[in-house]
Amino acid sequence: MRQFDVLIVGSGLGGMTIALHLADKLKVGLVTKRQLRDGGSGWAQGGIAGVLDTQDSVELHIKDTFVAGAGLCDADATRFIIEHSKEAIDWLIAMGVPFTKDDSGDINYHGFHLTREGGHSHRRIIHAADATGAAVIETLATKVAAHPNITVLENHIALDLITAKKLGDAEQRAWGAYVYNIDTDKVETIRASHTVLATGGAGKVYLYTSNPDVATGDGIAIGWRAGCRVSNMEFIQFHPTCLYHPDAKSFLITEAVRGEGGILRLPDGTRFMPQHDERAELAPRDVVARAIDFEMKKGGYDCVYLDISYKPARFVKEHFPTIYQRCLELGIDITKEPIPVVPAAHYTCGGLVVDLKSQTDVPGLYAVGEVACTGLHGANRLASNSLLECMVLGKAAAEDILRQTGAQPPKVPEWDESQVTDPDEEVVISHNWDELRRFMWDYVGIVRTNKRLERALHRIQLLQSEIHEYYSNFRVGNDLIELRNLVTTAELIVRCAMARKESRGLHYSRDYPGMLPAAEPTVLAPTTTGKQ
């Protein structure tokens, strides 16, 4: 049985930020499903938004965030995060992240190039070419791996929290987690005075997603089962431009391509965005995704095209080297021809309800990053605000943990699997997984209706009964754990969508096409669904 001062579940930017802010004073355990660098943060291409240029301001960034979030952003959270944006970015620069330099223009930050993305009124995105997430994660992962107070447990997936109520106490509190070791096929018990969920989003609940395979909603489901509220789960951001190619699994074409002049065209070359929004290609992601979805359905197209080829070849290669190289490997020269693109599930704007210290409803439990709902993103995340949120709230969580007295975890029983056997037909899991992702795409995608949501909920309930029976009788494995979490997360998405009787931001309903006068969050508590 392992014990740490702090157990962090997830190795993306949120998890690494907290670990590095704590490790000089506390013993930290960092659990990750795959390898240390395999979290979703490393896939981020565009950059990190912040108030860096003297011509920019906190008020302008807040305004852009609220416009993109369709008025649903939490005012206090939005101001807190944006006011701390420069400090967070300065921390990354001090850590040695190799951001792209450019001191030739008027708009830069200490010689670092600033770009602009959809929904932003100003150039405020600091980036490392078109692979910002990879550069940030590589830099921080090197420091995490070298720190003597951080123990990294790779190929471990959290199963459930160890809570005081499970141990017979009247008051709820988190004391670590039961964690499945993929390498040994055993469940391990990890005790901790404080536990952090930094597991990322739930893109794999959909058939088409830009997310890595690890994005299965684990932290959201784990927190929900422990008694945490969730909020705004209906707002699933579909990135407008995922590369459409049979050999290009989940490859994203960054927002910055449109920010630097990329034009969306139909297969015949016709530009279509000006007919949908006056901001054209620089409209927020939900507007662009719906426009592409509309044009594809109207014309019966498999995809549309994003064209940056009219720019000088040197410009394209310098600004988008990763995209250029990947497309070239697939036979597409983006300096000479447009890029075939389709929308894909990209970001979970809702999640576990947290405060500005990243605390959830359960004492001793924090949530940071895409797993959490701070209120920053409202009904639609503004491009490049997500990595910023990870860092600002990650530091806030670390500071709050350091203020706490180190309460010692109680005695905890080991995981009991004496009453279960080895699974007999694992094909059931793969079939259920495929069914879930297909009907979520069909019924709970970019455009929704009451009937589609009801059909989805009915199928979810059937899957839940099958999964519960399987979970109760057989030993757990990685695929079963992820499927169980995906189905729970899918139910939360559907229930939040059913509760919203309007169209706002990323949630568009044909039955309620108008927007209500007041913007209110959707909040679900475990007791409201009759299960916990």
Side-chain angles (χ1 to χ4, degrees), residues 277-486:
D277 192 282
E278 62 182 12
R279 292 164 291 186
E281 281 79 9
L282 288 178
R285 289 173 175 175
D286 61 320
V287 176
V288 180
R290 274 199 300 276
I292 294 173
D293 185 66
F294 174 85
E295 295 292 346
M296 286 173 60
K297 286 182 169 62
K298 176 184 175 184
Y301 309 128
D302 291 329
C303 65
V304 295
Y305 293 85
L306 180 58
D307 188 9
I308 193 78
S309 64
Y310 69 94
K311 292 272 190 177
R314 181 178 176 182
F315 175 90
V316 174
K317 292 176 184 179
E318 287 181 352
H319 280 73
F320 311 110
T322 307
I323 295 172
Y324 171 75
Q325 188 60 43
R326 181 60 178 139
C327 288
L328 201 61
E329 291 170 359
L330 298 170
I332 305 166
D333 185 345
I334 68 173
T335 66
K336 299 177 180 177
E337 56 190 316
I339 309 165
V341 294
V342 292
H346 181 59
Y347 193 86
T348 309
C349 288
L352 302 176
V353 175
V354 296
D355 61 17
L356 294 184
K357 299 173 185 176
S358 297
Q359 291 179 326
T360 69
D361 297 324
V362 176
L365 180 66
Y366 298 77
V368 176
E370 198 172 348
V371 67
C373 183
T374 64
L376 170 69
H377 307 308
N380 181 20
R381 176 179 70 95
L382 181 65
S384 291
N385 268 355
S386 53
L387 295 184
L388 174 65
E389 181 188 45
C390 285
M391 290 189 296
V392 173
L393 271 296
K395 183 183 179 186
E399 290 175 342
D400 191 63
I401 289 170
L402 290 171
R403 284 193 292 265
Q404 309 294 320
T405 55
Q408 290 301 305
K411 290 184 178 180
V412 175
E414 296 280 9
W415 183 261
D416 181 14
E417 55 180 26
S418 60
Q419 305 299 313
V420 296
T421 61
D422 290 325
D424 53 359
E425 291 186 358
E426 295 199 29
V427 69
V428 172
I429 296 176
S430 61
H431 284 182
N432 286 355
W433 184 301
D434 185 63
E435 180 185 350
L436 172 70
R437 297 180 68 204
R438 287 185 181 278
F439 72 65
M440 285 295 290
W441 182 263
D442 291 338
Y443 298 151
V444 200
I446 296 173
V447 178
R448 300 162 180 174
T449 67
N450 288 340
K451 184 173 288 187
R452 289 176 183 176
L453 294 175
E454 288 166 3
R455 286 172 175 167
L457 183 60
H458 176 67
R459 283 160 173 77
I460 286 170
Q461 290 168 337
L462 292 175
L463 286 179
Q464 284 177 325
S465 62
E466 286 186 22
I467 293 166
H468 178 72
E469 180 183 3
Y470 203 93
Y471 183 81
S472 301
N473 292 296
F474 301 112
R475 288 189 177 88
V476 298
N478 184 73
D479 291 346
L480 176 59
I481 294 168
E482 290 186 330
L483 177 62
R484 177 179 178 235
N485 292 334
L486 276 175

Side-chain angles (χ1 to χ4, degrees), residues 1-4 7 31 153 156 159-162 167 175-181 186-192 409-416:
M1 188 178 296
R2 297 177 185 267
Q3 182 170 332
F4 301 100
L7 173 64
V31 167
L153 300 174
H156 284 64
L159 190 55
D160 267 320
L161 294 171
I162 299 169
L167 302 177
W175 292 112
Y178 290 111
V179 177
Y180 174 71
N181 184 330
K186 297 293 183 183
V187 177
E188 300 175 1
T189 305
I190 303 180
R191 297 192 302 169
K411 290 184 178 180
V412 175
E414 296 280 9
W415 183 261
D416 181 14

Side-chain angles (χ1 to χ4, degrees), residues 42-46 127-136 319 321-322:
W43 290 46
Q45 292 180 346
H127 62 102
D130 60 348
T132 306
V136 170
H319 280 73
T322 307

Side-chain angles (χ1 to χ4, degrees), residues 72-74 230-236 348-351 353 373-379 492-493 496-497 500 506 520-524:
L72 193 62
C73 304
D74 180 90
V230 299
S231 181
N232 294 346
M233 288 296 293
E234 69 270 37
F235 298 118
I236 302 295
T348 309
C349 288
V353 175
C373 183
T374 64
L376 170 69
H377 307 308
L492 297 174
I493 293 170
C496 282
R500 186 163 293 278
L506 300 166
E520 299 291 343
T522 307
V523 181
L524 299 181

Side-chain angles (χ1 to χ4, degrees), residues 499-521:
R500 186 163 293 278
K501 308 299 184 184
E502 64 168 347
S503 289
R504 183 183 295 273
L506 300 166
H507 174 74
Y508 183 80
S509 170
R510 284 183 178 168
D511 295 304
Y512 307 103
M515 187 185 297
L516 294 175
E520 299 291 343

